[in-house]
Amino acid sequence: MQPSSNQVQICVLNFDSSLPEQVMVDMLEHNVRLSRVVHQNTSTIARVKHCEIEGQISAPRVKPSEDIAPQLLDSFLATAVQSECSSEQRVWRLCQALFPTEKSGNWQWRRTRRVGEWFCEEVSRLPKGDIPKETVSHVWYLMCAGEATAAIRLANEGGMAMLSLMISTVLSLEHIGRYECSKMVEMWEMNKDINGMSDDLIKIFLVLAGRTHGKFVRNEKAVSLNCLESLDWRQAFGIHLWFVNCGGLLEDAIESFTEDVKAGRASSPECHLIDQLIRLACYPSHQVEAVLDAATMLNPNPLDTHLTWHLWSLLRAIGYNTMSLESEQRLHVAYSSLLTAYEKWHLAIFVLSHICHDQCRSLEIRHVLDRMSLTARPQHYDRVLSICQIPAQWIFAAKLMKAKLEGKHELACQYALAAGEYDVALRLFADEVAPNAIAMGDLEKLRPLAEKMEKEADKIKGWGAIGQIYADYCMLKTMDDEDTEDNEEKLQQLVDSLRTRIRAPVFDKPIQRLCVKTMARELFEIQRLTGEKDFSFPLSRSQIERLIF
């Protein structure tokens, strides 16, 4: 079947970031400073690595240094503060609260309190509605914002001393205060005293009693009251953290909040990064992929993975290494693509150096090197070598591609030789460099390259059949004229080598055939030389005399 149309559709992926370019660079510089390069030792056991079987070399892997999580987190936060990136400041401050460095004594209780303080600040950023005029409703409004102290003061100033005392007692006595409040609410329900209370007042006492909903009879009708109704999920979680589980642990708050979400009483966080980070801190078995996916969703551009990658680097430094290798590699490649779009080549390769699999890491790094070869300057390669310590041969291989595109065959041949691309070097030498040099008479310029090729002759497959003839002719034509026994012996060897190889049927290009004819004519002249004094061919008089006599 033939295609019905030859139309081609082209799309462009716009790798862009809402974060200033310099901020990304600064954050990655922190990673570079706090990382170490791990070189792979050659295997000595029977299960040899695939890259070693094929005789290939791989790039060293980059890993975070030991115990650098606190420094890395502080550096990320300082950069976010300096660049005035408020959203990222909140993420890093939450990480400081969730993953404390000091874990001794009642560290879990201290963590819960710090997370509660963070949520107070987070809720304060939410859009604010109209402040209620009634004192009770205003108190409930303040409690939903996490402003317990302001709620106590307002209740006291509004003539509700009992309410003020109850809030203060629960917050100070925690479990005991909540138990006493719970008993009091149960007594009111039994005596039906609760019927005369407003909904907001009931909500206040319910959450102080450790409950988020209740059912009671009012005017002979069953009434259900949901304290979390119409609240943002962050406010709902804050209610669990500040009041319902006051004095408890973060795990208690997340469990009770999850129950309310499943029952439909609280708004769902819908895989928000804040929720995912809290779950990871509480349950180490929680999937790291879920956290990083949530981080990606925070950015309006799904291709902007800078926050996701730096969060991964922090979690990895903390000790969360349960992420699948495939997911990690996709993340590294995605962030590297963003950095290459900004032509931050050394940082893109640094990110790719975190890929675990040797073959995949090497392949991705070489792809970036090929891309950077078109625009990179020497200092860019120097930075790549100093930071990532990749094999120098890969740099030459990248330069080889650019030299070939620009038609600089001699330079490309040198790069191919330095890169270990011996087949490419031979083809360039035999098809382009040597024939053109012979045709133009630039043999002195060709000789250094020919000498380099001969030094690597044992590694170049097909050198004797294809390349040796050009090297021999170049050496023959550029020999000095000193009449020594060594020169005479070497000259005879070169002529014999040329005579042997000149009939090889491997020269199919016009310029190659022209060169072979030139060599054949000179050899013929040498053979029939009998003693004439005038010579009309390129070999010098002393060279011919040594050959004949």
Side-chain angles (χ1 to χ4, degrees):
M1 293 292 291
Q2 295 294 325
S4 58
S5 173
N6 60 356
Q7 293 182 354
V8 177
Q9 293 184 346
I10 300 176
C11 69
V12 176
L13 295 179
N14 183 22
F15 287 95
D16 195 9
S17 174
S18 57
L19 194 70
E21 178 182 335
Q22 188 57 44
V23 177
M24 277 195 296
V25 173
D26 292 342
M27 294 183 71
L28 278 165
E29 291 295 342
H30 298 315
N31 286 96
V32 172
R33 176 172 52 87
L34 298 172
S35 297
R36 57 191 175 95
V37 177
V38 180
H39 291 272
Q40 184 70 46
N41 295 325
T42 304
S43 299
T44 57
I45 57 177
R47 296 177 59 187
V48 185
K49 292 183 178 295
H50 177 66
C51 61
E52 295 175 11
I53 293 175
E54 295 186 348
Q56 298 178 358
I57 54 176
S58 62
R61 184 182 172 192
V62 172
K63 290 183 177 181
S65 301
E66 300 294 334
D67 302 324
I68 55 94
Q71 301 176 55
L72 195 61
L73 182 52
D74 291 343
S75 300
F76 287 165
L77 178 57
T79 301
V81 171
Q82 185 178 8
S83 59
E84 299 181 352
C85 299
S86 59
S87 60
E88 296 199 7
Q89 288 181 43
R90 300 201 298 273
V91 172
W92 302 128
R93 285 200 169 98
L94 176 60
C95 289
Q96 282 186 330
L98 289 172
F99 308 107
T101 305
E102 182 64 31
K103 291 187 177 181
S104 60
N106 297 324
W107 71 271
Q108 291 177 307
W109 182 84
R110 293 195 299 270
R111 178 182 69 174
T112 304
R113 186 177 62 180
R114 291 188 64 187
V115 173
E117 293 171 353
W118 184 91
F119 262 91
C120 287
E121 184 178 350
E122 181 69 13
V123 169
S124 68
R125 300 175 182 274
L126 296 175
K128 294 179 173 59
D130 296 334
I131 298 177
K133 296 181 180 180
E134 295 183 2
T135 302
V136 172
S137 298
H138 194 182
V139 170
W140 173 243
Y141 175 87
L142 292 173
M143 290 178 65
C144 291
E147 300 180 22
T149 303
I152 293 171
R153 183 172 58 252
L154 178 63
N156 189 46
E157 293 174 353
M160 306 183 71
M162 179 181 175
L163 178 60
S164 175
L165 179 62
M166 184 60 67
I167 299 174
S168 177
T169 301
V170 170
L171 294 180
S172 58
L173 298 181
E174 297 175 347
H175 296 287
I176 298 175
R178 188 165 60 248
Y179 175 78
E180 294 298 330
C181 185
S182 176
K183 288 295 184 181
M184 186 173 62
V185 171
E186 290 177 2
M187 182 184 66
W188 288 345
E189 288 177 330
M190 291 178 59
N191 297 335
K192 298 183 180 180
D193 294 334
I194 203 170
N195 293 349
M197 299 181 182
S198 65
D199 287 351
D200 287 339
L201 184 59
I202 297 174
K203 289 178 180 179
I204 293 173
F205 283 114
L206 282 177
V207 298
L208 292 177
R211 296 161 57 182
T212 59
H213 60 284
K215 293 182 179 181
F216 54 93
V217 178
R218 176 184 288 171
N219 298 327
E220 298 181 355
K221 292 183 180 180
V223 177
S224 296
L225 191 62
N226 178 15
C227 301
L228 308 180
E229 185 179 6
S230 72
L231 295 181
D232 184 89
W233 78 266
R234 282 160 286 197
Q235 291 177 297
F237 182 76
I239 293 293
H240 281 274
L241 193 60
W242 303 319
F243 304 109
V244 175
N245 294 280
C246 180
L249 300 180
L250 189 59
E251 290 81 354
D252 301 327
I254 197 69
E255 286 181 8
S256 59
F257 171 70
T258 301
E259 290 178 4
D260 278 339
V261 171
K262 290 181 179 179
R265 292 186 292 267
S267 300
S268 172
E270 296 180 350
C271 299
H272 196 281
L273 176 59
I274 297 173
D275 176 67
Q276 294 298 317
L277 279 172
I278 294 173
R279 293 182 185 277
L280 181 66
C282 293
Y283 313 111
S285 60
H286 187 70
Q287 287 189 342
V288 177
E289 288 91 332
V291 179
L292 300 182
D293 288 343
T296 303
M297 292 170 61
L298 278 184
N299 199 298
N301 187 348
L303 298 179
D304 182 2
T305 54
H306 79 271
L307 177 60
T308 308
W309 191 88
H310 289 288
L311 186 57
W312 168 85
S313 69
L314 173 64
L315 295 177
R316 189 60 182 267
I318 292 173
Y320 292 96
N321 55 2
T322 58
M323 189 173 178
S324 68
L325 300 183
E326 294 79 7
S327 299
E328 280 191 358
Q329 181 172 336
R330 283 194 296 270
L331 176 59
H332 299 323
V333 172
Y335 193 29
S336 173
S337 299
L338 177 62
L339 293 167
T340 54
Y342 287 112
E343 295 190 354
K344 302 300 178 183
W345 308 112
H346 63 293
L347 296 177
I349 293 176
F350 169 78
V351 169
L352 291 175
S353 297
H354 290 77
I355 296 176
C356 293
H357 193 278
D358 289 344
Q359 290 280 0
C360 296
R361 180 173 66 252
S362 300
L363 184 63
E364 294 295 343
I365 289 176
R366 299 198 71 168
H367 283 168
V368 173
L369 288 173
D370 289 342
R371 289 186 60 184
M372 73 177 287
S373 66
L374 302 177
T375 58
R377 298 178 179 273
Q379 58 266 29
H380 295 150
Y381 292 113
D382 293 340
R383 297 195 71 181
V384 170
L385 288 172
S386 64
I387 293 175
C388 305
Q389 301 179 24
I390 64 173
Q393 295 95 314
W394 294 1
I395 300 293
F396 290 115
K399 293 181 178 180
L400 162 64
M401 186 181 72
K402 181 180 180 182
K404 288 175 65 177
L405 289 174
E406 294 177 347
K408 299 177 180 178
H409 300 300
E410 182 179 353
L411 187 60
C413 185
Q414 294 178 11
Y415 287 149
L417 204 60
E421 302 282 350
Y422 298 115
D423 291 342
V424 177
L426 175 60
R427 186 54 57 191
L428 286 168
F429 183 81
D431 291 354
E432 302 290 346
V433 181
N436 280 287
I438 293 173
M440 299 299 294
D442 293 336
L443 295 176
E444 290 291 346
K445 185 178 179 181
L446 177 64
R447 179 163 181 165
L449 179 58
E451 291 176 344
K452 290 180 181 179
M453 296 289 289
E454 285 210 283
K455 287 181 180 179
E456 304 291 340
D458 58 331
K459 302 175 184 177
I460 304 175
K461 186 178 180 180
W463 169 254
I466 302 175
Q468 187 70 60
I469 187 172
Y470 296 109
D472 288 345
Y473 183 73
C474 178
M475 298 302 176
L476 178 67
K477 297 288 290 180
T478 56
M479 283 182 63
D480 57 62
D481 290 339
E482 293 183 9
D483 191 6
T484 63
E485 185 176 345
D486 290 340
N487 274 1
E488 182 177 347
E489 182 180 355
K490 184 177 181 181
L491 194 61
Q492 187 64 54
Q493 290 175 352
L494 291 173
V495 171
D496 291 342
S497 176
L498 285 170
R499 185 183 297 114
T500 302
R501 303 174 194 281
I502 204 165
R503 295 182 179 275
V506 293
F507 307 105
D508 51 1
K509 289 189 175 183
I511 193 169
Q512 289 177 323
R513 291 197 293 268
L514 176 62
C515 291
V516 170
K517 289 179 181 179
T518 300
M519 298 178 201
R521 185 178 66 251
E522 294 188 12
L523 288 176
F524 177 76
E525 292 291 340
I526 292 174
Q527 288 179 343
R528 74 181 185 85
L529 188 60
T530 58
E532 292 86 351
K533 296 182 179 180
D534 296 324
F535 307 101
S536 58
F537 44 88
L539 292 178
S540 67
R541 178 187 296 272
S542 60
Q543 289 175 343
I544 295 174
E545 288 177 349
R546 286 200 300 272
L547 283 174
I548 301 303
F549 304 106

